mmCIF file of all heavy atoms in Angstrom:
data_model
loop_
_atom_site.group_PDB
_atom_site.id
_atom_site.type_symbol
_atom_site.label_atom_id
_atom_site.label_comp_id
_atom_site.label_asym_id
_atom_site.label_seq_id
_atom_site.Cartn_x
_atom_site.Cartn_y
_atom_site.Cartn_z
ATOM 1 N N VAL A 1465 -48.055 -25.413 130.426
ATOM 2 C CA VAL A 1465 -49.223 -24.803 129.742
ATOM 3 C C VAL A 1465 -48.759 -24.468 128.351
ATOM 4 O O VAL A 1465 -47.694 -23.804 128.154
ATOM 5 C CB VAL A 1465 -49.683 -23.487 130.459
ATOM 6 C CG1 VAL A 1465 -50.778 -22.852 129.636
ATOM 7 C CG2 VAL A 1465 -50.109 -23.779 131.876
ATOM 8 N N ASN A 1466 -49.505 -24.901 127.309
ATOM 9 C CA ASN A 1466 -49.250 -24.526 125.915
ATOM 10 C C ASN A 1466 -50.470 -23.657 125.504
ATOM 11 O O ASN A 1466 -51.582 -23.916 125.910
ATOM 12 C CB ASN A 1466 -49.170 -25.751 125.033
ATOM 13 C CG ASN A 1466 -47.929 -26.559 125.259
ATOM 14 O OD1 ASN A 1466 -46.921 -26.053 125.783
ATOM 15 N ND2 ASN A 1466 -47.928 -27.796 124.854
ATOM 16 N N MET A 1467 -50.180 -22.714 124.590
ATOM 17 C CA MET A 1467 -51.249 -21.869 124.008
ATOM 18 C C MET A 1467 -51.069 -21.906 122.507
ATOM 19 O O MET A 1467 -49.968 -21.874 121.998
ATOM 20 C CB MET A 1467 -51.138 -20.463 124.544
ATOM 21 C CG MET A 1467 -51.286 -20.350 126.038
ATOM 22 S SD MET A 1467 -51.067 -18.650 126.626
ATOM 23 C CE MET A 1467 -52.598 -17.922 126.123
ATOM 24 N N ARG A 1468 -52.229 -21.930 121.857
ATOM 25 C CA ARG A 1468 -52.278 -21.901 120.360
ATOM 26 C C ARG A 1468 -53.300 -20.848 119.956
ATOM 27 O O ARG A 1468 -54.349 -20.766 120.536
ATOM 28 C CB ARG A 1468 -52.617 -23.237 119.868
ATOM 29 C CG ARG A 1468 -52.642 -23.321 118.322
ATOM 30 C CD ARG A 1468 -52.677 -24.737 117.811
ATOM 31 N NE ARG A 1468 -53.754 -25.550 118.428
ATOM 32 C CZ ARG A 1468 -53.809 -26.837 118.326
ATOM 33 N NH1 ARG A 1468 -52.860 -27.502 117.749
ATOM 34 N NH2 ARG A 1468 -54.816 -27.500 118.892
ATOM 35 N N LYS A 1469 -53.024 -20.010 118.949
ATOM 36 C CA LYS A 1469 -53.891 -18.947 118.539
ATOM 37 C C LYS A 1469 -54.036 -18.980 117.033
ATOM 38 O O LYS A 1469 -53.087 -19.122 116.284
ATOM 39 C CB LYS A 1469 -53.306 -17.627 118.986
ATOM 40 C CG LYS A 1469 -54.214 -16.478 118.644
ATOM 41 C CD LYS A 1469 -53.601 -15.183 119.123
ATOM 42 C CE LYS A 1469 -54.522 -13.995 118.727
ATOM 43 N NZ LYS A 1469 -53.968 -12.689 119.119
ATOM 44 N N SER A 1470 -55.314 -18.852 116.623
ATOM 45 C CA SER A 1470 -55.670 -18.609 115.210
ATOM 46 C C SER A 1470 -56.530 -17.400 115.164
ATOM 47 O O SER A 1470 -56.858 -16.765 116.239
ATOM 48 C CB SER A 1470 -56.371 -19.825 114.610
ATOM 49 O OG SER A 1470 -57.681 -19.994 115.170
ATOM 50 N N GLU A 1471 -56.974 -17.017 114.030
ATOM 51 C CA GLU A 1471 -57.852 -15.813 113.920
ATOM 52 C C GLU A 1471 -59.185 -16.103 114.646
ATOM 53 O O GLU A 1471 -59.774 -15.135 115.194
ATOM 54 C CB GLU A 1471 -58.144 -15.521 112.422
ATOM 55 C CG GLU A 1471 -58.822 -14.243 112.226
ATOM 56 C CD GLU A 1471 -58.960 -13.843 110.750
ATOM 57 O OE1 GLU A 1471 -58.074 -14.274 109.957
ATOM 58 O OE2 GLU A 1471 -59.919 -13.144 110.408
ATOM 59 N N GLU A 1472 -59.700 -17.307 114.655
ATOM 60 C CA GLU A 1472 -61.001 -17.615 115.163
ATOM 61 C C GLU A 1472 -60.980 -18.191 116.598
ATOM 62 O O GLU A 1472 -62.014 -18.236 117.253
ATOM 63 C CB GLU A 1472 -61.724 -18.642 114.308
ATOM 64 C CG GLU A 1472 -61.903 -18.325 112.867
ATOM 65 C CD GLU A 1472 -60.712 -18.687 112.024
ATOM 66 O OE1 GLU A 1472 -59.923 -19.548 112.431
ATOM 67 O OE2 GLU A 1472 -60.537 -18.111 110.960
ATOM 68 N N LEU A 1473 -59.807 -18.637 117.104
ATOM 69 C CA LEU A 1473 -59.772 -19.402 118.302
ATOM 70 C C LEU A 1473 -58.461 -19.264 119.042
ATOM 71 O O LEU A 1473 -57.402 -19.287 118.407
ATOM 72 C CB LEU A 1473 -60.038 -20.881 117.930
ATOM 73 C CG LEU A 1473 -60.155 -21.899 119.073
ATOM 74 C CD1 LEU A 1473 -61.444 -21.700 119.832
ATOM 75 C CD2 LEU A 1473 -60.160 -23.334 118.477
ATOM 76 N N VAL A 1474 -58.501 -19.150 120.375
ATOM 77 C CA VAL A 1474 -57.382 -19.303 121.196
ATOM 78 C C VAL A 1474 -57.578 -20.562 122.039
ATOM 79 O O VAL A 1474 -58.639 -20.760 122.602
ATOM 80 C CB VAL A 1474 -57.198 -18.064 122.160
ATOM 81 C CG1 VAL A 1474 -56.099 -18.281 123.191
ATOM 82 C CG2 VAL A 1474 -56.923 -16.814 121.389
ATOM 83 N N GLU A 1475 -56.552 -21.425 122.124
ATOM 84 C CA GLU A 1475 -56.678 -22.669 122.864
ATOM 85 C C GLU A 1475 -55.584 -22.763 123.899
ATOM 86 O O GLU A 1475 -54.422 -22.389 123.651
ATOM 87 C CB GLU A 1475 -56.515 -23.893 121.928
ATOM 88 C CG GLU A 1475 -57.645 -24.065 120.967
ATOM 89 C CD GLU A 1475 -57.435 -25.217 119.970
ATOM 90 O OE1 GLU A 1475 -56.581 -25.077 119.100
ATOM 91 O OE2 GLU A 1475 -58.053 -26.266 120.183
ATOM 92 N N LEU A 1476 -55.948 -23.179 125.084
ATOM 93 C CA LEU A 1476 -55.001 -23.428 126.191
ATOM 94 C C LEU A 1476 -54.957 -24.930 126.452
ATOM 95 O O LEU A 1476 -55.983 -25.601 126.443
ATOM 96 C CB LEU A 1476 -55.505 -22.748 127.445
ATOM 97 C CG LEU A 1476 -55.783 -21.257 127.366
ATOM 98 C CD1 LEU A 1476 -56.395 -20.739 128.658
ATOM 99 C CD2 LEU A 1476 -54.548 -20.475 127.061
ATOM 100 N N PHE A 1477 -53.784 -25.445 126.704
ATOM 101 C CA PHE A 1477 -53.608 -26.847 127.038
ATOM 102 C C PHE A 1477 -52.794 -26.903 128.353
ATOM 103 O O PHE A 1477 -51.604 -26.422 128.309
ATOM 104 C CB PHE A 1477 -52.812 -27.550 125.897
ATOM 105 C CG PHE A 1477 -53.442 -27.456 124.541
ATOM 106 C CD1 PHE A 1477 -53.124 -26.406 123.703
ATOM 107 C CD2 PHE A 1477 -54.435 -28.331 124.156
ATOM 108 C CE1 PHE A 1477 -53.692 -26.310 122.450
ATOM 109 C CE2 PHE A 1477 -55.074 -28.200 122.905
ATOM 110 C CZ PHE A 1477 -54.650 -27.227 122.052
ATOM 111 N N LEU A 1478 -53.345 -27.429 129.366
ATOM 112 C CA LEU A 1478 -52.704 -27.515 130.644
ATOM 113 C C LEU A 1478 -52.486 -28.977 131.005
ATOM 114 O O LEU A 1478 -53.410 -29.765 130.988
ATOM 115 C CB LEU A 1478 -53.535 -26.860 131.827
ATOM 116 C CG LEU A 1478 -53.578 -25.326 131.803
ATOM 117 C CD1 LEU A 1478 -54.604 -24.839 130.829
ATOM 118 C CD2 LEU A 1478 -53.856 -24.885 133.185
ATOM 119 N N ALA A 1479 -51.223 -29.364 131.271
ATOM 120 C CA ALA A 1479 -50.885 -30.716 131.676
ATOM 121 C C ALA A 1479 -51.236 -30.894 133.168
ATOM 122 O O ALA A 1479 -50.660 -30.275 134.020
ATOM 123 C CB ALA A 1479 -49.426 -31.017 131.445
ATOM 124 N N LEU A 1480 -52.266 -31.714 133.426
ATOM 125 C CA LEU A 1480 -52.726 -31.947 134.815
ATOM 126 C C LEU A 1480 -52.848 -33.431 135.070
ATOM 127 O O LEU A 1480 -53.987 -33.954 135.280
ATOM 128 C CB LEU A 1480 -54.090 -31.262 135.028
ATOM 129 C CG LEU A 1480 -54.102 -29.742 134.885
ATOM 130 C CD1 LEU A 1480 -55.538 -29.192 134.982
ATOM 131 C CD2 LEU A 1480 -53.214 -29.099 135.953
ATOM 132 N N PRO A 1481 -51.713 -34.130 135.051
ATOM 133 C CA PRO A 1481 -51.807 -35.584 135.315
ATOM 134 C C PRO A 1481 -52.342 -35.897 136.643
ATOM 135 O O PRO A 1481 -51.971 -35.302 137.665
ATOM 136 C CB PRO A 1481 -50.307 -36.028 135.156
ATOM 137 C CG PRO A 1481 -49.534 -34.814 135.448
ATOM 138 C CD PRO A 1481 -50.385 -33.637 134.947
ATOM 139 N N GLY A 1482 -53.251 -36.857 136.661
ATOM 140 C CA GLY A 1482 -53.823 -37.334 137.967
ATOM 141 C C GLY A 1482 -54.974 -36.447 138.510
ATOM 142 O O GLY A 1482 -55.545 -36.825 139.523
ATOM 143 N N ILE A 1483 -55.238 -35.334 137.873
ATOM 144 C CA ILE A 1483 -56.295 -34.444 138.333
ATOM 145 C C ILE A 1483 -57.640 -34.886 137.646
ATOM 146 O O ILE A 1483 -57.677 -34.973 136.443
ATOM 147 C CB ILE A 1483 -56.037 -33.007 138.051
ATOM 148 C CG1 ILE A 1483 -54.769 -32.531 138.788
ATOM 149 C CG2 ILE A 1483 -57.248 -32.106 138.447
ATOM 150 C CD1 ILE A 1483 -54.907 -32.425 140.282
ATOM 151 N N LYS A 1484 -58.638 -35.133 138.439
ATOM 152 C CA LYS A 1484 -59.967 -35.462 137.876
ATOM 153 C C LYS A 1484 -60.710 -34.214 137.481
ATOM 154 O O LYS A 1484 -60.465 -33.154 138.065
ATOM 155 C CB LYS A 1484 -60.736 -36.250 138.939
ATOM 156 C CG LYS A 1484 -60.130 -37.604 139.243
ATOM 157 C CD LYS A 1484 -60.924 -38.317 140.309
ATOM 158 C CE LYS A 1484 -60.379 -39.710 140.579
ATOM 159 N NZ LYS A 1484 -59.176 -39.780 141.369
ATOM 160 N N LYS A 1485 -61.580 -34.302 136.474
ATOM 161 C CA LYS A 1485 -62.206 -33.119 136.013
ATOM 162 C C LYS A 1485 -63.071 -32.401 137.063
ATOM 163 O O LYS A 1485 -63.281 -31.216 136.990
ATOM 164 C CB LYS A 1485 -63.036 -33.393 134.679
ATOM 165 C CG LYS A 1485 -64.136 -34.348 134.801
ATOM 166 C CD LYS A 1485 -64.842 -34.546 133.472
ATOM 167 C CE LYS A 1485 -66.011 -35.485 133.591
ATOM 168 N NZ LYS A 1485 -66.629 -35.621 132.286
ATOM 169 N N ASP A 1486 -63.627 -33.191 138.035
ATOM 170 C CA ASP A 1486 -64.423 -32.523 139.031
ATOM 171 C C ASP A 1486 -63.583 -31.767 140.094
ATOM 172 O O ASP A 1486 -64.171 -31.132 140.972
ATOM 173 C CB ASP A 1486 -65.309 -33.572 139.718
ATOM 174 C CG ASP A 1486 -64.631 -34.721 140.363
ATOM 175 O OD1 ASP A 1486 -63.425 -34.930 139.999
ATOM 176 O OD2 ASP A 1486 -65.211 -35.400 141.171
ATOM 177 N N ALA A 1487 -62.261 -31.839 139.907
ATOM 178 C CA ALA A 1487 -61.358 -31.063 140.812
ATOM 179 C C ALA A 1487 -60.834 -29.843 140.124
ATOM 180 O O ALA A 1487 -59.912 -29.180 140.639
ATOM 181 C CB ALA A 1487 -60.206 -31.962 141.240
ATOM 182 N N ILE A 1488 -61.456 -29.446 138.992
ATOM 183 C CA ILE A 1488 -61.023 -28.249 138.221
ATOM 184 C C ILE A 1488 -62.184 -27.311 138.162
ATOM 185 O O ILE A 1488 -63.301 -27.656 137.849
ATOM 186 C CB ILE A 1488 -60.609 -28.654 136.786
ATOM 187 C CG1 ILE A 1488 -59.468 -29.643 136.907
ATOM 188 C CG2 ILE A 1488 -60.160 -27.417 136.015
ATOM 189 C CD1 ILE A 1488 -59.160 -30.315 135.536
ATOM 190 N N ASP A 1489 -61.897 -25.998 138.442
ATOM 191 C CA ASP A 1489 -62.883 -24.958 138.346
ATOM 192 C C ASP A 1489 -62.358 -23.885 137.346
ATOM 193 O O ASP A 1489 -61.202 -23.507 137.399
ATOM 194 C CB ASP A 1489 -63.110 -24.265 139.662
ATOM 195 C CG ASP A 1489 -63.740 -25.191 140.742
ATOM 196 O OD1 ASP A 1489 -64.663 -25.953 140.324
ATOM 197 O OD2 ASP A 1489 -63.327 -25.180 141.858
ATOM 198 N N LEU A 1490 -63.252 -23.447 136.494
ATOM 199 C CA LEU A 1490 -62.976 -22.384 135.558
ATOM 200 C C LEU A 1490 -63.955 -21.257 135.759
ATOM 201 O O LEU A 1490 -65.169 -21.505 135.789
ATOM 202 C CB LEU A 1490 -63.003 -22.868 134.079
ATOM 203 C CG LEU A 1490 -61.894 -23.780 133.618
ATOM 204 C CD1 LEU A 1490 -62.220 -25.165 133.893
ATOM 205 C CD2 LEU A 1490 -61.704 -23.580 132.131
ATOM 206 N N ASN A 1491 -63.446 -20.029 135.901
ATOM 207 C CA ASN A 1491 -64.329 -18.839 136.088
ATOM 208 C C ASN A 1491 -63.752 -17.719 135.315
ATOM 209 O O ASN A 1491 -62.487 -17.578 135.150
ATOM 210 C CB ASN A 1491 -64.350 -18.485 137.584
ATOM 211 C CG ASN A 1491 -65.018 -19.488 138.409
ATOM 212 O OD1 ASN A 1491 -66.233 -19.723 138.316
ATOM 213 N ND2 ASN A 1491 -64.255 -20.197 139.263
ATOM 214 N N VAL A 1492 -64.650 -16.837 134.802
ATOM 215 C CA VAL A 1492 -64.223 -15.610 134.108
ATOM 216 C C VAL A 1492 -64.812 -14.453 134.879
ATOM 217 O O VAL A 1492 -65.956 -14.407 135.174
ATOM 218 C CB VAL A 1492 -64.796 -15.574 132.635
ATOM 219 C CG1 VAL A 1492 -64.437 -14.273 132.000
ATOM 220 C CG2 VAL A 1492 -64.189 -16.746 131.828
ATOM 221 N N GLU A 1493 -63.890 -13.466 135.185
ATOM 222 C CA GLU A 1493 -64.324 -12.239 135.865
ATOM 223 C C GLU A 1493 -63.458 -11.167 135.429
ATOM 224 O O GLU A 1493 -62.181 -11.250 135.461
ATOM 225 C CB GLU A 1493 -64.233 -12.458 137.386
ATOM 226 C CG GLU A 1493 -64.782 -11.331 138.134
ATOM 227 C CD GLU A 1493 -64.858 -11.584 139.633
ATOM 228 O OE1 GLU A 1493 -65.028 -12.723 140.043
ATOM 229 O OE2 GLU A 1493 -64.744 -10.579 140.358
ATOM 230 N N ASP A 1494 -64.065 -10.049 134.994
ATOM 231 C CA ASP A 1494 -63.306 -8.851 134.571
ATOM 232 C C ASP A 1494 -62.261 -9.154 133.538
ATOM 233 O O ASP A 1494 -61.141 -8.638 133.545
ATOM 234 C CB ASP A 1494 -62.630 -8.150 135.783
ATOM 235 C CG ASP A 1494 -63.688 -7.676 136.796
ATOM 236 O OD1 ASP A 1494 -64.784 -7.268 136.348
ATOM 237 O OD2 ASP A 1494 -63.400 -7.692 137.963
ATOM 238 N N GLY A 1495 -62.628 -10.005 132.553
ATOM 239 C CA GLY A 1495 -61.707 -10.325 131.466
ATOM 240 C C GLY A 1495 -60.585 -11.222 131.806
ATOM 241 O O GLY A 1495 -59.649 -11.386 131.021
ATOM 242 N N ILE A 1496 -60.619 -11.859 132.923
ATOM 243 C CA ILE A 1496 -59.588 -12.800 133.395
ATOM 244 C C ILE A 1496 -60.182 -14.212 133.473
ATOM 245 O O ILE A 1496 -61.206 -14.411 134.163
ATOM 246 C CB ILE A 1496 -59.004 -12.432 134.772
ATOM 247 C CG1 ILE A 1496 -58.483 -10.993 134.761
ATOM 248 C CG2 ILE A 1496 -57.951 -13.417 135.241
ATOM 249 C CD1 ILE A 1496 -57.169 -10.809 134.000
ATOM 250 N N LEU A 1497 -59.535 -15.186 132.828
ATOM 251 C CA LEU A 1497 -59.884 -16.574 133.036
ATOM 252 C C LEU A 1497 -59.109 -17.140 134.158
ATOM 253 O O LEU A 1497 -57.855 -17.094 134.143
ATOM 254 C CB LEU A 1497 -59.650 -17.377 131.722
ATOM 255 C CG LEU A 1497 -59.763 -18.880 131.896
ATOM 256 C CD1 LEU A 1497 -61.198 -19.298 132.110
ATOM 257 C CD2 LEU A 1497 -59.299 -19.555 130.596
ATOM 258 N N LEU A 1498 -59.782 -17.624 135.181
ATOM 259 C CA LEU A 1498 -59.180 -18.176 136.322
ATOM 260 C C LEU A 1498 -59.399 -19.718 136.342
ATOM 261 O O LEU A 1498 -60.545 -20.139 136.292
ATOM 262 C CB LEU A 1498 -59.707 -17.615 137.648
ATOM 263 C CG LEU A 1498 -59.168 -18.144 138.959
ATOM 264 C CD1 LEU A 1498 -57.691 -17.883 139.093
ATOM 265 C CD2 LEU A 1498 -59.953 -17.555 140.119
#
Side-chain angles (χ1 to χ4, degrees):
V1465 177
N1466 290 339
M1467 297 177 76
R1468 181 168 51 196
K1469 182 180 179 183
S1470 68
E1471 189 174 331
E1472 304 86 21
L1473 185 68
V1474 173
E1475 292 177 287
L1476 306 174
F1477 304 92
L1478 286 83
L1480 298 174
I1483 298 290
K1484 296 177 174 75
K1485 66 181 181 178
D1486 58 342
I1488 302 169
D1489 294 319
L1490 287 88
N1491 295 292
V1492 175
E1493 188 173 327
D1494 297 327
I1496 304 288
L1497 171 65
L1498 177 64

